[in-house]
């Protein structure tokens, strides 16, 4: 909406501001007439038909290429819509993509620095039974429209730090590779060492199950060979599982470096304990929030009314909430009219008709929440509902 | 027709309680098979439908800029009529049923959709999704039975006003969207309440509906004709929009009449429905209370797949593009349990529904007892019933029904 909403200045505020004010006033009038001509649609709905990536629409992108990295990882190159505000290497983007017809949202690190062609890329590793990552790696096709949010995240290079240590495991390398590629562009002539990266002293400790499964292995080796970084690659099948407590053995000047880590929570927890013990600073990035396994019943938190209701696994949320005195939207009470639908931010519910589980994970599912029918769903563990 | 429980032969008499529950189990299995299978191609279907509809509507409106030129008027009006029908039937009706909610696309979702119609999505979802689909064909609970202005069942008491119902029905067909909006607001009931006693909820809904109607009318009768003004086409464009709205209204009214009104569709007595109706019992009521339209793929599309009204009423939240696929399984189930799968071509169903509207505009038994010979005396009787008080009506009604019974008995013998 941003660029069009800037045109939504009222006609009075446009007066006396010269050509720009006049244009804004005319733009606002034109838009109002156009809205009146297409109601009950919004003008955006109509423009979306012809130009989904235009300025002023909801932020989207189009997949332009899929580059395989390893047998189960790929880099997805995306042309973002006109309103893409850019990003800083190390940040992530939330992507909404339809898998088997259902929209899913996931966050992925941006693995290129800002590029001349304006494209962005994410690198995805297909995780077992992760059907979004599997779809992106093996099923994503150029031309597909995806939904985007603006880049976000604090896991970015500090401009003032010279000596850095990156500790990454598995796909935890993705935000780091974005930073490294930005500092040291890779070209046909090899890795470049431009002045902006020259005064950095970077060590990368990268852990992966095996060398062929290691995303960006070749890039890391090339960066190491060019002298841009010092790579400590640790492969479980070759070197055994890395004990994070021994990180000082691999990085003798550990105390002088600022540590940035990204990877599974086990590794991050161990590193945190180690650094606390040694009084060292640590910056971490973690993608997957811990996922609650669906169970039987649980506490349902109604966020707007700040009420918690304990509900068993066989009672519809609607009935239990009403019994607890909440005024709930309701309808047929049998799952057919959709009059009781509410957004669930977090947690799992079970459809009492067929046992199907619906889960909402902040950061992974729709930012506005996953809509659930409260009349036919019981909680499957704790969940939070907007009402 | 009459409520099922008062009929000489109850079409469900041969079903045991266990049969009814088994029907529920088998229908649930059909429903689940579609849920397990729905996916990318279904999502692609509705997105394509929305895309085609929007392009057709915009294209037709563009052509109507030149509507001062008669061939452009004809082409644009046909295109706009089709676009409006698709928008209301295959897209709006079905999206607002939540058939596409599983895609989790906020743009194609029952909670966000607003349609090209005088009634608001909110009002319609209440009266249609909730009241009509839950209490289908229960006399006194499902207002879709005659929309509160018509008598469509023998068990609704006859009053003189019903003599005009064929006329009401014809007018309602032309302005159906406004009829539906009034019906959603329960306007008849609410307007009879003194102004100061009307509920805040009603006032809010009435305001929303008026806003909606104003926006709709501004689009069709002011802004779009005004855009044709530079080409000298204000009035032709206005006429084109009016025509398209009437075409859409008459078409959707006809399709909807076919869903529950044709002769032979069952209605139900309020007190015959148990308070804790089981899923099986609810399914059986939907099965007997709906009727299908047979026809081509294009027919199914233009009716928003309400040609599969039986399947739709059993599974209102399954994607409409799948009804044709499960229809044979549903029909096999009807056959297995010896129930009538009510299906006929459009003209036949529309004719049957209109026949019922006309027949029930007259007192029960009037048509049976009337012959060319006794026409003058019958008309006199009818005049008496229409002008006399309730007492006169009751007495005449009893005589008519007695005569009708005698005639029927004589025919049977």
């Amino acid at each position: 909406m941003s660029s069009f909403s800037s045109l939504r200045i009222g006609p009075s505020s446009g007066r006396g501001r010269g050509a720009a004010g006049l244009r804004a006033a005319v733009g606002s009038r034109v838009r109002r007439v156009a809205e009146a001509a297409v109601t009950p649609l919004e003008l955006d709905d109509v423009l979306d038909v012809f130009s989904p990536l235009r300025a002023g629409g909801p932020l989207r992108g189009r997949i332009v290429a899929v580059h395989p990295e390893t047998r189960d990882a790929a880099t997805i190159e995306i042309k973002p819509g006109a309103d893409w505000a850019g990003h800083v290497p190390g940040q992530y983007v939330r992507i909404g993509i339809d898998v088997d017809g259902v929209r899913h949202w996931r966050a992925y690190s941006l693995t290129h620095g800002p590029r001349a062609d304006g494209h962005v890329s994410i690198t995805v590793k297909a995780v077992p039974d992760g059907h979004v990552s599997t779809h992106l790696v093996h099923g994503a096709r150029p031309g597909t429209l995806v939904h985007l949010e603006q880049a976000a995240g604090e896991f970015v290079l500090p401009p003032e730090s010279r000596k850095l240590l990156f500790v990454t495991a598995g796909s935890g390398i993705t935000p780091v590779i974005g930073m490294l590629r930005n500092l040291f562009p890779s070209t046909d002539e090899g890795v470049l060492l431009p002045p902006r990266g020259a005064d950095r002293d970077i060590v990368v400790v990268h852990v992966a199950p095996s060398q062929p499964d290691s995303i960006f292995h070749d890039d890391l080796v090339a960066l190491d060979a060019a002298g841009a970084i010092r790579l400590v690659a640790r492969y479980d099948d070759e070197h055994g599982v890395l004990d994070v407590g021994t990180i000082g053995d691999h990085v003798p000047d550990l105390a002088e470096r600022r540590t940035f880590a990204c990877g599974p929570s086990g590794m991050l927890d161990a590193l945190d304990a180690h650094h606390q013990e040694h009084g060292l600073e640590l910056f971490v990035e973690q993608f997957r929030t811990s996922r609650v396994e669906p169970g039987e019943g649980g506490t349902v938190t109604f966020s707007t009314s700040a009420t918690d209701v304990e509900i068993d696994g066989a009672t519809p949320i609607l009935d239990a909430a009403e019994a607890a005195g909440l005024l709930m939207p309701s309808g047929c009470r049998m799952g057919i009219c959709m009059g009781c639908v509410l957004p669930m931010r977090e947690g799992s519910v079970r459809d009492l008709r067929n046992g199907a589980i619906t889960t909402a994970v902040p950061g992974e599912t729709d930012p506005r929440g996953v809509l659930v029918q409260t009349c036919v769903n019981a909680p499957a563990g704790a969940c939070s509902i907007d009402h | 027709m009459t409520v099922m429980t008062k009929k000489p032969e109850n079409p469900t008499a041969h079903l045991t309680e266990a049969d009814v529950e088994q029907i529920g189990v088998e229908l649930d299995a059909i429903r689940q098979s579609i849920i397990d299978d729905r996916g990318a191609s279904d999502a692609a279907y509705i997105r394509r439908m929305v895309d085609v509809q929007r392009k057709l509507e915009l294209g037709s409106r563009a052509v109507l800029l030149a509507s001062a030129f008669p061939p452009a008027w004809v082409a644009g009006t046909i295109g706009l009529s089709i676009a409006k029908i698709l928008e209301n039937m295959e897209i709006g009706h079905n999206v607002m049923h939540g058939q596409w909610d599983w895609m989790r696309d906020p743009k194609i979702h029952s909670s966000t959709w607003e349609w090209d119609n005088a009634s608001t999505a909110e009002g319609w979802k209440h009266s249609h999704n909730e009241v009509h689909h839950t209490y289908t064909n229960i006399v006194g609970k499902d207002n879709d039975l005659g929309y509160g202005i018509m008598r469509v069942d023998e068990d609704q008491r006859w009053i003189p006003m019903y003599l005009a119902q064929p006329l009401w029905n014809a007018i309602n067909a032309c302005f159906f969207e406004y009829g539906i909006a009034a019906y959603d607001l329960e306007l008849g009931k609410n307007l009879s309440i003194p102004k100061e006693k009307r509920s805040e909820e009603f006032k809010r809904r009435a305001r929303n509906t008026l806003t909606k109607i104003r926006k709709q009318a501004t689009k069709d009768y002011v802004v779009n004709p005004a855009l044709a003004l530079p080409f000298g086409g204000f009035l032709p464009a206005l006429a084109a929009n009016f025509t398209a709205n009437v075409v859409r209204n008459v078409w959707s009214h006809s399709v909807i009449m076919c869903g529950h009104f044709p002769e032979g569709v069952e209605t139900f007595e309020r007190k015959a429905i148990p308070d804790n109706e089981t899923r099986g019992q609810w399914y059986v009521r939907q099965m007997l209370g709906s009727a299908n339209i047979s026809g081509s793929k294009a027919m199914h599309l233009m009716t928003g797949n309400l040609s599969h009204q039986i399947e739709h009423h059993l599974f209102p939240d399954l994607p409409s593009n799948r009804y044709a696929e499960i229809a044979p399984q549903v029909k096999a189930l009807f056959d297995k349990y010896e129930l009538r799968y009510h299906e006929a071509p459009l003209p036949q169903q529309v004719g049957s529904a209109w026949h019922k509207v006309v027949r029930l505009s007259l007192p029960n038994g009037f048509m049976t007892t009337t012959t060319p010979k006794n026409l003058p005396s019958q008309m006199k009787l009818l005049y008496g019933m229409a002008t006399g008080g309730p007492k006169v009506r009751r007495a005449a009604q009893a005589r008519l029904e007695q005569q009708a019974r005698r005639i029927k008995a004589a025919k049977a013998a």
Side-chain angles (χ1 to χ4, degrees), chain A residues 106-118:
Chain A
R106 291 286 187 278
Y108 292 104
S109 291
L110 289 152
T111 45
H112 277 103
R115 294 162 46 128
D117 60 8

Side-chain angles (χ1 to χ4, degrees), chain B residues 128-147:
Chain B
H128 179 87
N129 287 7
E130 188 186 333
V131 180
H132 167 58
H133 272 270
T134 313
Y135 304 112
T136 312
N137 289 25
I138 300 176
V139 175
K141 277 204 113 167
D142 178 5
N143 295 330
D144 268 33
L145 282 174
Y147 306 117

